[in-house]
Each structure stands twice: as structure tokens, then as C-alpha cells.
């Protein structure tokens, strides 16, 4: 079968691919670029899927959230790619990559040859069936990663005759989905094994606010146990979630958000891996010459903390993609650029809440502000202090200026003499910088 050849191929058509394409054009990189994606649509802002995409009214729909609107940029409609001479090869899953031969093979038997490869395959959801949970393949159990998954969920929300939803998982996806299902007037129960929600980021005090707020909204929270099985009706539709502690929860819809794993399979044994991701340097070059990798799939040097990490958040997907393109351009011109110097930034929105976090969440913590979930306008935050310096800041309900101020603190890492003083100063500590 004939090969199609491109100077550059981005494999994966998500957030990182879209931002990489924009940077490619902005930098005027010469040559033919193709994006190959198994999704049926051009790159879009994935975070919308667990938020406005599921709203009962005024729901977000494409073309509204194609990249790069999420960072306030121009929206890249499918026509944009055509105008710029970039080939969007959609509904095409790559099933084999041969880095030595510089070829990719698709599920439908096509071969693509490239000069430079940019891996942007992202992550995929971890499924309960991966752990052999009984009944986990019942109808009515949903996962959310791609727009196709979101469409199936929207259809189920509209069709569901009952109104009981169980959300399995207490991470940010679980929290966002529990909120949006409540907006869709479901009776929502969240189940997670940890002592509080979002334990990888939240302190118990931060989590107590969100759990209280959700409970005030009528969401039931069951902690410290896991789903160990599901019962279905004669049509195969899920009806009951069985918990390890012996309880059984009625359910018409179950949504599972128990984490993701990076899609590295295609490249196993061909590139070095570390901490579960494809290992790259500060220019997003993999161990294989001419092959770059960006976004969720990479483990990269986090210069600020002098260690390597993998980050599954949209801000890094955008910035890593831009950095890789800058590095490609620089290498063609025989120039050098600064190494990637990433400041971790995570955010989430649910109900009327909106939080941002910058930096690292290790060390002692200081909670400030009004963290009462029953307040009419709660606003609070937390500092993380290590070796006498503030290295991480969380803020719920901040203005754009305040969020900018906490980002500066996390980057500058100012010293603090007294945690009591810091607590008293609260947000002013950040805003006066
Ligand atoms: P992705 O955007 O996942 O793109 C990967 C693409 O590669 C997909 O199109 C996939 O189909 C394609 N692909 C994979 N394998 C192949 C193959 N073999 N052949 C062809 N194509 C392939 N982050 C935040 O910071 N804040 C949020 O509020 C937030 N909300 C989120 C909500 C949801 C529902 C999800 C799923 C994620 C959310 N994230 C959020 C995380 C963020 O979306 C990801 O970090 C980001 O999308 C990563 O970008 P990426 O390009 O690396 O991967």
C-alpha cells in the first residue's frame, strides 16, 4: 500500500496537538505537517467535557471550544488547518510505530512516513474492568475522556428514566461530574476510598470546605470504601453499585473517574520511559533522535524542583507543545532556547466555585480566609511552606489579579518568618508582592 509522507507528524489530536499546530504556524516552520487523531473532530479544549458540555441548559458545543480558546487565543476551526496547509487526518488510530523506519501504521492499514515525529497521545481512563470488578461492563457505566464519551453521557442523561447517579472517584473529574449531574437534577452519591476528596492536592481543611459545600447542594458523600461490583437488570443496565463495606447503592447512571494512564504503548521499547511516561529533556526531545513528545504522556525535568515529573493538566499540555515547536525551530536555525521551566498550575470549576493552584503542595500548610461552606461568598486559600519558603498556593474564588499574585508567590518562593503572621496576612501576603 502507498505511503503518505509528511515532514512532521503529530500523533494524537488533543490539546497539545492543537497548540503545537498554532505554534508551528506562528514560528513559520517550513514543511508539511499532519495531525493524526483517532477522534472525529479537530483538537478541542478537553476540560470543557466535564463542565459546560454537560450543562442542562446553554451547554457548550463545538465549534465553541476548539483550541486555542481555553487560553484566550484564536479558535482553530477545521478550516484554519486547511488554510495553513496542515492536514488533519481524523478517525485514524495509529496501531504501530516504527521509529527506526520513521513510519506509523493505522488501524485501517495506511502507512505514514515522517521526518520529525511529535507524540501527543495523552492519557486514557483507567477502567474498573481493568481490575476485574464484577459487573463493571454493564450498560449505564460511563467514563469520560473524549467527546464521544461525553456524547454518550449526554444521551444517557437525557434518556435516563430514573434519576439516581453514583460517581465513583473523588478526584477533580469526580467532583466536577458530581456537580454537573446535580445541575441535571440527579440524586447524586459520590464514593471514594480516601479520607477526603482530591487527596493528592487538597489538605483535609480544603477538602472539608468542598465536601461541606457539596453536601449543602444535596450530594451524598461516602468515603473510605470502594465499588466492588455492579448488579444490572435483565437488559444489562446497571441498577446497583455494591460497596466493599457491604452497602448497596441504587443507580441509573454510574460515572467512574478513578484516574488515567499515559498512552505510551506504541513506543514501548523504542524510547526511554520514566515514572510511567515517555522521558524527555527540557526541549521535549525523547531518547530517539527526531522524536519529540508533549502533554500528558511525558515525564519531563521540572527545573524549579530539580526532579522529573509527569503532569496531567491542560496548562502543561499547551506550554509543552509550544516549547517543542520552539525547540524544533531553534535546532533548524542552529540556535538554542531556554530549557522548559514549568510552574505547576491546576484549576477546576464546579457549581459556582472556581479554584486555582500554583506551585508544589509539600511542607507545612497555612489556611486563610473564609472556608465556611455555608458562607454566601466563601473565599479562602492555603499556602504550602517548605524550608522557610512559600512554595505553593491554592485559592478558591480569586479574581484574575489575585490568581496572578498567587502564581507570582509560587514562582518567587518568598521566605516567611512566622506561620501565624502568614495566616493573619492571608491573601494580602500574595497581593502585596
Ligand atoms: P489529550 O488532550 O488527551 O489528546 C490526546 C489525543 O490523542 C486524543 O485526541 C486521542 O484520541 C489521541 N490518540 C491517542 N492515541 C492515539 C493513537 N494511537 N492514534 C491516534 N490518535 C490517538 N486539566 C486541567 O488542568 N483542568 C481541568 O479542569 C481539566 N479538566 C479535564 C476534564 C476532563 C473530562 C478530562 C478528560 C481532562 C481534563 N483535564 C483538565 C486534563 C487535560 O484535559 C489534559 O491534561 C490534556 O487534554 C492533555 O493534553 P494531551 O494533548 O496530552 O492529551
Amino acid at each position: 500500500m502507498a505511503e503518505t509522507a509528511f515532514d512532521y507528524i503529530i500523533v494524537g489530536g488533543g490539546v497539545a496537538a492543537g497548540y503545537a499546530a498554532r505554534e508551528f504556524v506562528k514560528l513559520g516552520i517550513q514543511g508539511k505537517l499532519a495531525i493524526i487523531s483517532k477522534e472525529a473532530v479537530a483538537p478541542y479544549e478537553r476540560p470543557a467535557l466535564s463542565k459546560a458540555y454537560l450543562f442542562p441548559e446553554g451547554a457548550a458545543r463545538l465549534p465553541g471550544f476548539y483550541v486555542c480558546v481555553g487560553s484566550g487565543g484564536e479558535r482553530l476551526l477545521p478550516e484554519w488547518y486547511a488554510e495553513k496547509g496542515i492536514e488533519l487526518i481524523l478517525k485514524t488510530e495509529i496501531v504501530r510505530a516504527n521509529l527506526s523506519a520513521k513510519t506509523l501504521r493505522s488501524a485501517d492499514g495506511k502507512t505514514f512516513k515522517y521526518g520529525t515525529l511529535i507524540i501527543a497521545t495523552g492519557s486514557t481512563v483507567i477502567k474498573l474492568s481493568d481490575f476485574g470488578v464484577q459487573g463493571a461492563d454493564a450498560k449505564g457505566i460511563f467514563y469520560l475522556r473524549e467527546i464521544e464519551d461525553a456524547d454518550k453521557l449526554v444521551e444517557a442523561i437525557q434518556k435516563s428514566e430514573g434519576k439516581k447517579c453514583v460517581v465513583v472517584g473523588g478526584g477533580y473529574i469526580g467532583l466536577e461530574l458530581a456537580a454537573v449531574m446535580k445541575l441535571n437534577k440527579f440524586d447524586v452519591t459520590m464514593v471514594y476510598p480516601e479520607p477526603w476528596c482530591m487527596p493528592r492536592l487538597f489538605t483535609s481543611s480544603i477538602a472539608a470546605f468542598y465536601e461541606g459545600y457539596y453536601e449543602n447542594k444535596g450530594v451524598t458523600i461516602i468515603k473510605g470504601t470502594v465499588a466492588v461490583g455492579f448488579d444490572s437488570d435483565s437488559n444489562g443496565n446497571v441498577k446497583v453499585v455494591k460497596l466493599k463495606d457491604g452497602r448497596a447503592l441504587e443507580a441509573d447512571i454510574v460515572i467512574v473517574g478513578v484516574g488515567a494512564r499515559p498512552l505510551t504503548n506504541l513506543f514501548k521499547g523504542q524510547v526511554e520511559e520514566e515514572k510511567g511516561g515517555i522521558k524527555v529533556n527540557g526541549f521535549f526531545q525523547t531518547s530517539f533522535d527526531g522524536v519529540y513528545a508533549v502533554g500528558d504522556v511525558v515525564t519531563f525535568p521540572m527545573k524549579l524542583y530539580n526532579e522529573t515529573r509527569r503532569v496531567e493538566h491542560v496548562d502543561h499540555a499547551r506550554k509543552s507543545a509550544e516549547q517543542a515547536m520552539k525547540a524544533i525551530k531553534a535546532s533548524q536555525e542552529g540556535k538554542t532556547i531556554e530549557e522548559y521551566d514549568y510552574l505547576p498550575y491546576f484549576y477546576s470549576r464546579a457549581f459556582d466555585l472556581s479554584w486555582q493552584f500554583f506551585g508544589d503542595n509539600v511542607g507545612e500548610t497555612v489556611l486563610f480566609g473564609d472556608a465556611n461552606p455555608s458562607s454566601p461568598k466563601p473565599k479562602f486559600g492555603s499556602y504550602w511552606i517548605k524550608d522557610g519558603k512559600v512554595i505553593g498556593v491554592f485559592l478558591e474564588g480569586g479574581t484574575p489579579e489575585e490568581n496572578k499574585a498567587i502564581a507570582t508567590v509560587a514562582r518567587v518562593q518568598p521566605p516567611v518568618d512566622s506561620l501565624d503572621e502568614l495566616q493573619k496576612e492571608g491573601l494580602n501576603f500574595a497581593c502585596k508582592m
Side-chain angles (χ1 to χ4, degrees), residues 182 208-221 351 372-376 378:
K182 197 73 209 167
F209 166 82
Y210 291 98
E211 290 174 354
Y213 191 97
Y214 273 56
E215 279 164 350
N216 288 347
K217 291 279 184 190
V219 174
T220 305
I221 296 179
F351 292 122
N372 179 351
S374 304
S375 285

Side-chain angles (χ1 to χ4, degrees), residues 191 193 222 224-229 241-249:
V191 183
I222 299 177
T225 190
V226 289
V228 288
V241 183
K242 293 185 281 188
L243 303 185
K244 194 173 183 185
D245 67 8
R247 278 185 270 187
L249 309 173

Side-chain angles (χ1 to χ4, degrees), residues 12-16 36-39 46-47 50-51 92-94 120-122 144-146 172-173 176 263 266 295-296 312-314 317 347:
V15 173
I36 305 180
S37 177
K38 80 180 161 58
E39 291 193 82
R46 194 165 306 286
S50 52
K51 305 177 184 67
T92 303
E93 182 176 7
I94 296 300
T121 43
L144 186 58
R145 181 75 205 179
E146 300 190 344
Y172 74 93
I173 300 261
E176 290 181 3
L263 282 170
L266 281 175
D296 278 11
E312 287 177 358
H313 289 279
V314 72
Y347 72 91

Side-chain angles (χ1 to χ4, degrees), residues 203 360-366 383-387 391:
T203 61
D360 210 8
N361 61 323
V362 288
E364 290 180 89
T365 58
V366 164
Y383 292 110
W384 278 262
I385 302 100
K386 195 177 154 219
D387 301 331
I391 57 159

